[in-house]
Amino acid sequence: MQSPETAAEMLQIAARAADAKGGEDLVALNVSEPLPLVDIFLLVTGSSERNVAAIADEIEDRLLEAGHRRVRREGRAESRWVLLDFGDLVVHVFHSEERVYYGLERLWKDCPVVPIELPAPATGE
């Protein structure tokens, strides 16, 4: 099992990758208490199937480049809800309709939110 620091590092890599591809409403939850094999869930919304696929692909590419091993990937063919399992970090990239329908934030509402550090948007000066 990886360290919590590794999971936090993976979260930041994944969040930056999602943000770079237009991912919205990023929420990270510490699910280590109810799920001992996972530390963090990252939830991301994409605006279309193409956007969901691009976000998921970018996250996967960046984490693999950083040396993290993917355990499993599901949902890429439909790109309505793509799950990327990297062990201690599980990323859920949703189409906006699926995000509302499945409501994982409601399901895991008792889990603490993990801060996400994203670069400040560039100003047009």
Side-chain angles (χ1 to χ4, degrees):
M1 199 154 158
Q2 298 173 359
S3 71
E5 292 80 23
T6 302
E9 172 194 312
M10 292 168 67
L11 168 64
Q12 298 310 323
I13 293 168
R16 286 191 300 272
D19 184 60
K21 290 296 180 181
E24 300 174 346
D25 196 18
L26 279 68
V27 175
L29 301 171
N30 181 337
V31 295
S32 62
E33 189 68 32
L35 298 174
L37 297 178
V38 178
D39 281 339
I40 299 172
F41 277 179
L42 174 60
L43 311 177
V44 182
T45 300
S47 58
S48 66
E49 287 89 351
R50 182 174 286 197
N51 185 226
V52 167
I55 293 165
D57 290 349
E58 186 72 9
I59 292 169
E60 186 171 11
D61 290 347
R62 297 293 83 76
L63 286 169
L64 291 172
E65 283 176 7
H68 301 287
R69 187 177 69 82
R70 186 189 79 219
V71 176
R72 136 182 121 197
R73 175 181 60 195
E74 296 181 14
R76 176 60 177 80
E78 299 82 19
S79 295
R80 300 288 295 181
W81 177 2
V82 178
L83 180 140
L84 301 170
D85 182 350
F86 278 86
D88 288 342
L89 173 69
V90 175
V91 181
H92 301 269
V93 184
F94 292 98
H95 187 283
S96 55
E97 294 167 2
E98 273 67 13
R99 176 98 178 240
V100 171
Y101 181 79
Y102 290 103
L104 291 189
E105 288 98 334
R106 288 188 312 272
L107 182 64
W108 301 102
K109 68 180 184 262
D110 294 334
C111 295
V113 173
V114 179
I116 297 173
E117 298 171 16
L118 294 175
T123 59
E125 295 178 25

